[in-house]
Amino acid sequence: MAAEEDPSCSIVEYMRDHSGYKCGYCKSKNTNFSHGMWAHRMTTGDYQTLIDRGWRRSGKYCYKPTMDKTCCPMYTIKCDALELKLSKTQKKVLKRMRRYLSHGDRKDCRTPEMGNAEVIGDNEEYVKPKFEAKCDVSSVTLPKSIRTQEQSVTSNIAVPETNVVPTAKKPSDTQATSNASSSTKDSPSINQEVRMVVSSGTGPDASRPLCRKAKLIRREKREAKLAKQAQEALARGESLMEASVSKPNNTEKSLEDYLNEPPPANPAHTLELKLVRVNPPEAGFKATYNASYAVFRKYQLEVHHDSESECDKMSYQGFLVDGPLLQWQPSSGPELGYGSFHHQYWLDDRLIAVGVLDILPHCVSSVYLYYDPEYSFLSLGTYASLRELALVRELQQRTASLRWYYMGFYIHSCPKMRYKGKYKPSYLLCPETYEWISIELATPKLDRVKYSRLTDNPSAVDVNGRVDTSKILILHNQMLIRYGNYQADCADDDEDEEINEYASLVGAKSAYSLLLCRS
């Protein structure tokens, strides 16, 4: 059966600029360099291809760091959610949250391993756009044959599978997917509103107890059986040594084991998670807009020390609400479809944190996290990342290709931003070949020099970098033409240079798929 194809198309406007701007890491005033473009609208598939080439969005503005020139190189990082190995610190954060929810224990559990990232926030790579779009073409009507034209260009292009990890030694994706599906088949699916209430007898049906994992139920039955055998042995006058009562298997607890551990009868607090669609905005998002903005404003003022004007509603709207991603809901995709969402954390019916997420064909991409600073003692940065990893694992049960968690950029030259490498197994994107390299193999290179080609093979090349610019689709005066035809009538040498630069940055797959707006 042929895979479903998104019928929508993406429209972008390339913004050529080579000037430097202030760096949020080393605080230099003009040594941070990146390329940018305005996404009037973007399909989730096209954005997946772009982030696999080092791009990232901030609102509708997409940017790609100039890796060999910028002061603090930013490497795209992703974690394999299905193969997640929890660190000691991450387990402590999960246990700390459980103690707080169960008993109200407020003891701070941040450790030296976390560094300052948990204190100052997790998303410092946010880049504010230096330009706005020259015109709004997000709602322009295009010929119905547009998808056919794109397919005729891209059908003969051979591009590498961006989600293959060439340096990782692990089972095939098929085997891993099968194992993950079988091990988590009893987990609840995501509904229109994700409800994870940490109290018994609550949920969609308050008359029924909270759903529990089959693995946990089997463990309790086994322990009860062993205890019964021990009692019978004592009644017969045997010692426990003679009864040979074996202990339960000391297996490694999974992320779900920590998150779904049953609460006590009367927990001190309840935590509820809701996943609400932002674009187009659903009723749940609209109803909580003011509460969400209030948390954002408080976070920016107290944690990032923004001015009032820097965190007003217009800034919030442009940064974390308005976005280019088009909703797509294929039958084989996640229940809520692909697109942009807010992952809300409600503590005792009070909104305390929001994770801004893009759900894409192969991953969940973390855009930003903000939270109420009053609850920083809960290490919400780490906790939210683990919750988002759990979301990936849940989505993967329905959509086999969706197994990755993208954490934005990893900045090795900034020690406080290295915490992202603590989520294992993680991979960094080579800035020259666009292959994914295990972080264990990549960091020794970055210890020596802050910018490095991460691929070991000296003959490896960017096979997606060869672009026939004459075949790029141009949107000019609401007319769709090839750049080769546009070039003959309108382009000059400077524009040719700009188009070649754009093509090399987005790669062949995107260059032939995106519609490039020219004024």
Side-chain angles (χ1 to χ4, degrees):
M1 181 177 177
E4 293 179 72
E5 185 176 331
D6 189 347
S8 304
C9 60
S10 306
I11 303 176
V12 300
E13 183 178 339
Y14 183 57
M15 298 177 172
R16 194 184 195 197
D17 178 69
H18 296 144
S19 61
Y21 53 93
K22 184 178 179 180
C23 177
Y25 308 103
C26 66
K27 307 305 179 183
S28 176
K29 292 183 178 180
N30 59 357
T31 58
N32 198 351
F33 295 89
S34 66
H35 300 276
M37 63 183 177
W38 192 266
H40 292 273
R41 67 191 194 201
M42 180 81 67
T43 68
T44 54
D46 282 336
Y47 185 55
Q48 175 76 66
T49 302
L50 285 173
I51 63 173
D52 284 328
R53 201 168 172 83
W55 289 84
R56 182 163 169 80
R57 78 174 185 90
S58 173
K60 290 189 175 183
Y61 180 71
C62 298
Y63 62 98
K64 174 180 169 64
T66 311
M67 297 289 284
D68 58 349
K69 187 177 180 182
T70 192
C71 52
C72 299
M74 294 177 273
Y75 296 83
T76 300
I77 182 172
K78 70 177 183 180
C79 177
D80 187 346
L82 299 190
E83 300 292 331
L84 179 67
K85 300 292 185 292
L86 293 172
S87 70
K88 184 177 180 180
T89 297
Q90 291 158 2
K91 292 176 183 178
K92 285 183 178 179
V93 170
L94 294 169
K95 293 175 182 177
R96 175 68 188 90
M97 177 62 83
R98 172 170 169 74
R99 288 196 300 271
Y100 176 72
L101 295 175
S102 299
H103 312 295
D105 184 355
R106 294 176 60 94
K107 184 178 179 182
D108 198 318
C109 71
R110 288 194 294 267
T111 70
E113 181 183 332
M114 295 177 183
N116 293 325
E118 286 291 331
V119 179
I120 65 170
D122 293 338
N123 307 87
E124 293 245 312
E125 70 268 10
Y126 163 50
V127 172
K128 296 182 180 180
K130 291 181 286 184
F131 305 101
E132 295 290 332
K134 296 178 181 178
C135 59
D136 183 8
V137 295
S138 58
S139 59
V140 66
T141 301
L142 297 168
K144 293 182 179 179
S145 60
I146 177 61
R147 182 58 59 181
T148 303
Q149 293 186 50
E150 291 178 18
Q151 288 176 341
S152 67
V153 177
T154 59
S155 59
N156 295 322
I157 300 172
V159 294
E161 172 54 57
T162 55
N163 285 291
V164 173
V165 184
T167 57
K169 296 181 179 179
K170 59 185 182 181
S172 66
D173 284 356
T174 303
Q175 181 182 350
T177 299
S178 175
N179 293 341
S181 299
S182 62
S183 64
T184 58
K185 63 183 178 181
D186 295 311
S187 299
S189 63
I190 293 182
N191 297 316
Q192 185 68 19
E193 181 182 272
V194 178
R195 304 182 63 86
M196 301 178 185
V197 185
V198 193
S199 61
S200 59
T202 61
D205 185 352
S207 65
R208 301 180 64 183
L210 192 67
C211 181
R212 301 170 64 207
K213 288 180 67 67
K215 180 179 179 180
L216 181 62
I217 294 173
R218 291 195 299 270
R219 181 189 301 166
E220 291 177 350
K221 288 182 178 179
R222 183 173 62 249
E223 292 175 353
K225 180 179 179 180
L226 293 173
K228 182 179 179 181
Q229 290 174 348
Q231 290 177 351
E232 292 174 348
L234 291 173
R236 294 193 300 268
E238 301 175 2
S239 67
L240 291 179
M241 292 289 290
E242 293 172 330
S244 301
V245 178
S246 60
K247 295 182 180 180
N249 293 331
N250 188 23
T251 56
E252 185 76 13
K253 291 176 68 174
S254 70
L255 176 58
E256 289 75 17
D257 289 336
Y258 285 101
L259 294 176
N260 299 332
E261 191 172 352
N266 297 298
H269 302 284
T270 59
L271 179 67
E272 182 179 5
L273 270 66
K274 298 179 182 179
L275 188 66
V276 294
R277 179 177 289 280
V278 176
N279 187 23
E282 65 173 78
F285 171 73
K286 294 178 180 178
T288 59
Y289 183 94
N290 288 332
S292 185
Y293 167 67
V295 176
F296 168 78
R297 180 179 177 276
K298 187 175 182 180
Y299 175 80
Q300 296 298 125
L301 289 173
E302 297 185 22
V303 176
H304 287 292
H305 308 294
D306 281 1
S307 64
E308 290 281 354
S309 62
E310 289 177 311
C311 55
D312 59 12
K313 275 195 175 182
M314 184 179 295
S315 300
Y316 171 69
Q317 183 77 24
F319 176 25
L320 298 177
V321 179
D322 293 338
L325 297 188
L326 301 171
Q327 178 185 10
W328 184 37
Q329 200 157 358
S331 59
S332 60
E335 188 173 340
L336 294 180
Y338 301 112
S340 297
F341 298 84
H342 279 191
H343 205 202
Q344 300 176 338
Y345 295 71
W346 293 86
L347 181 68
D348 301 330
D349 297 323
R350 174 182 177 181
L351 184 64
I352 65 166
V354 177
V356 182
L357 305 175
D358 291 334
I359 299 181
L360 307 175
H362 297 294
C363 73
V364 169
S365 174
S366 175
V367 178
Y368 201 70
L369 172 75
Y370 57 94
Y371 53 82
D372 189 332
E374 289 183 32
Y375 297 92
S376 60
F377 66 92
L378 290 172
S379 301
L380 289 173
T382 298
Y383 184 76
S385 293
L386 294 170
R387 277 290 190 180
E388 289 164 7
L389 279 158
L391 175 63
V392 178
R393 291 158 69 100
E394 186 174 346
L395 293 172
Q396 196 275 338
Q397 296 175 52
R398 177 182 172 98
T399 307
S401 63
L402 204 165
R403 64 176 294 163
W404 301 97
Y405 176 54
Y406 282 55
M407 297 174 277
F409 289 130
Y410 173 83
I411 303 94
H412 193 74
S413 58
C414 182
K416 69 182 181 183
M417 295 301 290
R418 294 184 185 180
Y419 71 93
K420 294 182 181 182
K422 301 295 183 182
Y423 297 88
K424 310 245 183 223
S426 287
Y427 304 87
L428 300 184
L429 187 66
C430 176
E432 297 182 6
T433 64
Y434 299 100
E435 297 176 316
W436 291 101
I437 307 300
S438 167
I439 196 167
E440 287 80 11
L441 298 178
T443 49
K445 297 180 176 67
L446 301 180
D447 286 335
R448 294 190 293 270
V449 57
K450 60 185 180 181
Y451 171 76
S452 175
R453 172 191 170 98
L454 302 180
T455 304
D456 285 330
N457 183 0
S459 62
V461 297
D462 170 21
V463 296
N464 193 26
R466 296 186 289 268
V467 183
D468 181 352
T469 57
S470 68
K471 295 180 179 179
I472 293 177
L473 289 167
I474 301 293
L475 183 63
H476 178 60
N477 294 332
Q478 298 194 14
M479 296 291 290
L480 192 63
I481 58 176
R482 302 285 182 196
Y483 182 68
N485 297 328
Y486 171 89
Q487 184 182 34
D489 297 330
C490 306
D492 54 24
D493 290 343
D494 288 341
E495 190 160 16
D496 285 345
E497 184 179 344
E498 181 176 334
I499 296 299
N500 281 314
E501 180 180 88
Y502 158 81
S504 68
L505 293 170
V506 301
K509 189 173 182 180
S510 294
Y512 298 143
S513 178
L514 304 175
L515 306 186
L516 180 62
C517 179
R518 305 302 291 175
S519 59

